[in-house]
Amino acid sequence: MTVVDRQGASRSLEVPLGISLNLMELLKAEGFPVEGLCGGMAMCATCHIEVLEGLEKLGAQTEAELNMLDTLPKVYPASRLACQIPLSPALEGVVVRLAETE
Amino acid sequence: MRSAEDGFGGPQSITTDVCIIGAGPVGLFAVFECGLLKLKCHLVDVLPRPGGQLSEIYPKKPIFDIPGYPSILAQELVDNLMVQIAPFKPGFTLGERVEQLKKQPDGRFKIITQKGTEIQAGAVAIAAGLGCFEPRKPDIPDIQIFEGKGLEYMVSDPEKFRDGDVVIAGGGDSALDWAIQLSAVAHSLTLVHRSATFRAAAHSVETARQLESQGRMRIIVNAQLHKLLGNGHLEAVEIRHNDGRIETLQANVCLPLFGLSPKLGPIAHWGFDIQNNQIPVDTEKFQTSVPGIFAIGDINTYPGKLKLILCGFHEAALMAQAAFKYIKPQEHLSFKYTTVTGIQGL
């Protein structure tokens, strides 16, 4: 998958499988400036991303994620919370962009 | 419970052994561990009640990894902790944010809240979790110019907005609830929401739609706050419809209600090291880079850190031992099981 950081630079990532991590945890581990303050409970939106390619591959959103996204001042039609996206082979070819921090 | 608002006549001065900043589960359990060592505790929290995230955000969610409880609701855990620490008679200052933490020349600490409450303590344990929950601000140019001059992020007293021309932005529960309440006192009320659907509770949406049909509220969907206008005080709000149209609404009050976001806040300026919004500690004492200031629970970091309540409880137990040695370096500390000595309250 590919990640575009807040400066606009893109980097491709190997997605580790067979380990139950979510995308927020992967982004943190890879050194991206993603805080993930709430630890993956869809409570803080510090892992807000915009999916540039492959949104349809990422599966349905939970109520908690939709509720959190709905409270944010600025969202995109393809906004997601990275912590709600489990790592899986579906991420092959997906492109995401880190949303602006508040 | 004590707080500066309880009518004791203005800001208070409190003296204690350990001041615990943050009254979430880990802060509460720290009272127990300190209490076993006969250290008196005082807790301060920005939220109006103890429990932290557990009470504020997911009180009805079951937690499955508290030892001895196959499942316990978050609020039940908080209630139980309050019972467990009651014999140690902790003090509470609630609804106040700690602004300053200063080490005194004698090695003790002075803690001052934004309401002026002063706490003198022998040691400090920061158990502040994710930090303070603060209102999210929309991305509007010069927004800070109007803060307190017509722009508010919270409603403390609805009467303040009587006969005002009020614009509320947001589509969640608090936006809907306040739109409904303020429509009864405001001269005009407009609710602006980014999308066409509201995720707030269905009955609130229904009530708002009824008020709209009665002409007591205007609801504008698919639009966002764009600009604030006024000379010294808010006079109008420009909104931008999703199709690009700009509309100007007369308004002397604007309430962007976009929920709360955790921020480290003043903690960042208290003189100890911070890494990525967390406080590095050692795993013997859970002490920060300033001796006598400890950090436990979700706010700290160390190799192998897990943000679990049970890890926070362990950290609280070891922190209490270290705090005792910091406060009373001459005294001998003996470790006793509660099964042997029971609980001796303070």
Side-chain angles (χ1 to χ4, degrees):
Chain A
M1 70 174 298
T2 305
V3 181
V4 181
D5 68 18
R6 297 193 184 103
Q7 282 70 45
S10 47
R11 198 169 112 196
S12 51
L13 290 187
E14 226 17 72
V15 177
L17 298 174
I19 168 171
S20 78
L21 287 181
N22 60 52
L23 183 54
M24 175 273 285
E25 292 163 320
L26 176 66
L27 292 173
K28 274 184 87 160
E30 289 285 341
F32 286 97
V34 169
E35 287 179 22
L37 274 177
C38 77
M41 294 197 283
M43 268 167 34
C44 71
T46 55
C47 65
H48 179 194
I49 54 168
E50 184 189 10
V51 183
L52 302 175
E53 280 174 46
L55 179 67
E56 67 291 344
K57 296 204 244 173
L58 298 181
Q61 288 165 285
T62 61
E63 278 294 295
E65 179 180 358
L66 290 167
N67 284 339
M68 178 44 70
L69 285 172
D70 196 57
T71 64
L72 300 182
K74 188 172 186 184
V75 291
Y76 305 90
S79 278
R80 290 291 312 256
L81 296 179
C83 71
Q84 301 299 301
I85 301 173
L87 296 187
S88 78
L91 284 166
E92 174 80 51
V94 168
V95 182
V96 305
R97 183 182 72 79
L98 306 186
E100 300 77 11
T101 48
E102 289 156 34
Chain B
M1 288 183 202
R2 288 192 289 176
S3 95
E5 282 184 317
D6 283 349
F8 286 93
Q12 297 191 342
S13 187
I14 294 154
T15 301
T16 190
D17 292 321
V18 181
C19 179
I20 301 170
I21 301 175
V26 172
L28 293 176
F29 191 65
V31 173
F32 183 86
E33 289 296 334
C34 289
L36 291 180
L37 307 179
K38 306 226 175 295
L39 297 175
K40 179 107 177 139
C41 293
H42 190 89
L43 295 123
V44 190
D45 202 298
V46 68
L47 295 170
R49 54 184 167 185
Q53 284 176 50
L54 272 62
S55 301
E56 208 59 26
I57 298 173
Y58 52 98
K60 303 254 186 255
K61 276 200 180 179
I63 307 174
F64 300 104
D65 59 354
I66 304 298
Y69 291 92
S71 167
I72 183 167
L73 297 182
Q75 186 58 47
E76 261 184 276
L77 180 63
V78 172
D79 295 343
N80 285 355
L81 284 163
M82 290 298 282
V83 172
Q84 193 170 21
I85 65 175
F88 303 113
K89 300 186 180 64
F92 285 90
T93 294
L94 297 171
E96 295 188 33
R97 185 169 95 163
V98 175
E99 289 297 320
Q100 293 180 47
L101 165 58
K102 289 182 194 156
K103 193 168 192 173
Q104 306 297 106
D106 62 359
R108 289 176 58 84
F109 297 90
K110 189 195 254 185
I111 293 100
I112 304 172
T113 73
Q114 100 276 23
K115 289 189 183 162
T117 305
E118 229 182 81
I119 299 150
Q120 312 268 353
V124 177
I126 300 171
L130 303 175
C132 302
F133 283 81
E134 293 180 5
R136 282 202 180 84
K137 300 180 180 183
D139 183 19
I140 303 175
D142 299 330
I143 190 165
Q144 67 283 3
I145 295 175
F146 292 98
E147 287 175 359
K149 299 191 172 81
L151 183 76
E152 308 274 347
Y153 301 106
M154 278 184 201
V155 183
S156 46
D157 177 15
E159 276 305 309
K160 206 171 142 187
F161 306 121
R162 181 168 287 279
D163 301 326
D165 291 306
V166 180
V167 173
I168 293 180
D173 282 316
S174 77
L176 265 287
D177 290 350
W178 284 117
I180 292 164
Q181 279 211 38
L182 296 181
S183 71
V185 297
H187 173 254
S188 74
L189 191 130
T190 311
L191 178 65
V192 180
H193 181 41
R194 187 181 53 226
S195 77
T197 52
F198 288 93
R199 298 198 58 79
H203 63 89
S204 307
V205 179
E206 201 178 308
T207 307
R209 288 294 183 192
Q210 270 168 15
L211 291 167
E212 184 190 28
S213 65
Q214 294 161 9
R216 287 168 55 196
M217 181 191 297
R218 184 176 170 209
I219 300 178
I220 304 177
V221 295
N222 293 319
Q224 302 196 41
L225 293 179
H226 181 62
K227 209 178 197 178
L228 303 173
L229 305 169
N231 193 359
H233 193 281
L234 186 69
E235 289 161 16
V237 171
E238 262 187 27
I239 60 165
R240 187 176 192 278
H241 292 266
N242 289 359
D243 60 14
R245 259 182 318 127
I246 304 283
E247 183 179 345
T248 307
L249 306 170
Q250 192 191 329
N252 53 16
V253 178
C254 179
L255 290 161
L257 300 176
F258 294 113
L260 301 172
S261 157
K263 290 267 184 293
L264 207 50
I267 294 172
H269 312 291
W270 291 344
F272 42 73
D273 296 341
I274 305 262
Q275 278 172 14
N276 297 329
N277 286 317
Q278 286 162 328
I279 306 173
V281 292
D282 65 84
T283 50
E284 179 197 349
K285 300 172 175 171
F286 296 91
Q287 188 163 257
T288 68
S289 60
V290 176
I293 304 181
F294 303 86
I296 53 176
D298 282 359
I299 194 125
N300 75 13
T301 185
Y302 52 83
K305 169 71 181 179
L306 287 179
K307 288 189 183 188
L308 293 178
I309 294 171
L310 79 97
C311 295
F313 288 169
H314 158 81
E315 294 164 16
L318 297 198
M319 175 282 294
Q321 303 278 314
F324 182 96
K325 288 172 194 154
Y326 179 83
I327 299 171
K328 304 176 177 185
Q330 312 302 333
E331 282 187 37
H332 177 68
L333 174 60
S334 65
F335 176 81
K336 293 197 182 79
Y337 292 108
T338 55
T339 41
V340 176
T341 52
I343 300 294
Q344 281 139 20
L346 292 178

